Amino acid sequence: MAGKNVLIVYAHQSAGSFNAAAKDASVEQLTAEGCNVVVSDLYAMKFKAAATEEDVTGEVKDSKHFKYGEETMVAWKESRLSADIVEEHKKVTEADLIIFQFPMYWFSVPAIMKGWIDRVLTQGFAFTSEKRYSQGLFKEKRAMLSFTTGSNEAMFSSNGINGDMNVTLWPLQNGILYYCGFQVLAPQIFWAPPHIPSDARDTMLEGWRQRLKGLLSETPLTFAPADSFDTGSGFQLKKEVKEQQAKAPFGLTVGHHLGKPLPPNNQIKAGV
């Protein structure tokens, strides 16, 4: 891990929070392992969440019908993006690993972090229609989610009131990280830290520190490769792939379940 560059995209308002403690543990442990660690503290930076015309310097191509993705792609090519996006692009370009540290809000990321995703993962820079998923622009990089929940683990089970956490994570891990080509490491989930004793929270943090020691050598989560889909039939799974899965007891992934039971822990643990 020595010499590797790690970017932590961090979203919490309080330095006294468990998320802050998890972020600090990451910085300390990864630095001790010889990594170069950079933190984008979004609240401290007052990072702008809204994706607007202000993200383009100079004139836009079509002021009557502003299309954010198209306009920012052109601006990226012409070096006309706002300074805050350019700075984050530099961090992403240099990073071997990106860790997103946040409290889960409404089964997703906080608005300020979603704004970072919307604005920084610019079309052209982070993905194109040809370069996505397993063929994505960031396929040499790794990324992962590290987050706290307000509910306990049982509530996020297939029988729990919140539903299966594997399903909850699919849009974030497949639809954002893997979409950009990242090798997605299994998430670090801190279950309901406000509702457990302080010594249990300490144990959680120690477990995270131990995991961090070998983080970059972990096996990524499994997703369907882009070449499993037929571009000539609307990007549907190829016939041979479906035939290979015909006798399998589970679906291919959470999203590509083929009407079968979901593969257990497909979005939580590697190698399943």
Side-chain angles (χ1 to χ4, degrees), residues 37-222:
V37 184
V38 173
V39 178
S40 285
D41 185 339
L42 301 183
Y43 285 105
M45 294 160 61
K46 294 182 171 57
F47 190 82
K48 183 172 79 75
T52 67
E53 193 172 322
E54 295 174 359
D55 294 343
V56 177
T57 61
E59 293 186 3
V60 298
K61 302 301 180 182
D62 186 351
S63 59
K64 293 183 179 179
H65 183 195
F66 179 73
K67 299 177 182 178
Y68 186 83
E70 295 178 13
E71 293 280 4
T72 52
M73 178 174 63
V74 172
W76 169 71
K77 290 178 180 178
E78 298 177 353
S79 300
R80 294 189 299 106
L81 286 172
S82 61
D84 60 343
I85 295 177
V86 172
E87 180 61 25
E88 296 306 297
H89 277 185
K90 180 181 178 183
K91 297 175 188 177
V92 171
T93 299
E94 294 175 350
D96 298 297
L97 167 68
I98 301 178
I99 299 173
F100 293 86
Q101 182 66 57
F102 61 95
M104 180 170 275
Y105 282 6
W106 293 110
F107 293 65
S108 187
V109 298
I112 198 168
M113 181 172 283
K114 182 56 165 59
W116 187 97
I117 291 166
D118 290 348
R119 299 179 65 227
V120 176
L121 299 183
T122 310
Q123 187 172 348
F125 169 73
F127 68 93
T128 69
S129 57
E130 297 81 22
K131 298 289 185 178
R132 52 184 174 172
Y133 294 117
S134 59
Q135 299 168 353
L137 292 166
F138 295 154
K139 61 185 179 181
E140 301 302 320
K141 301 178 182 293
R142 297 190 171 205
M144 68 173 295
L145 307 177
S146 175
F147 62 93
T148 58
T149 67
S151 302
N152 62 44
E153 185 173 3
M155 293 171 69
F156 275 106
S157 68
S158 58
N159 293 317
I161 191 170
N162 292 340
D164 191 338
M165 179 60 86
N166 289 277
V167 176
T168 299
L169 293 178
W170 178 256
L172 296 173
Q173 295 187 152
N174 178 78
I176 298 173
L177 301 183
Y178 184 57
Y179 188 90
C180 293
F182 285 112
Q183 300 173 51
V184 185
L185 299 181
Q188 180 71 22
I189 307 175
F190 300 104
W191 301 102
H195 306 300
I196 60 175
S198 60
D199 58 340
R201 291 194 292 272
D202 292 341
T203 299
M204 278 183 170
L205 288 174
E206 182 55 32
W208 177 223
R209 290 189 185 95
Q210 292 302 314
R211 184 184 176 191
L212 285 162
K213 293 179 180 180
L215 193 62
L216 283 168
S217 63
E218 288 187 0
T219 301
L221 297 173
T222 301

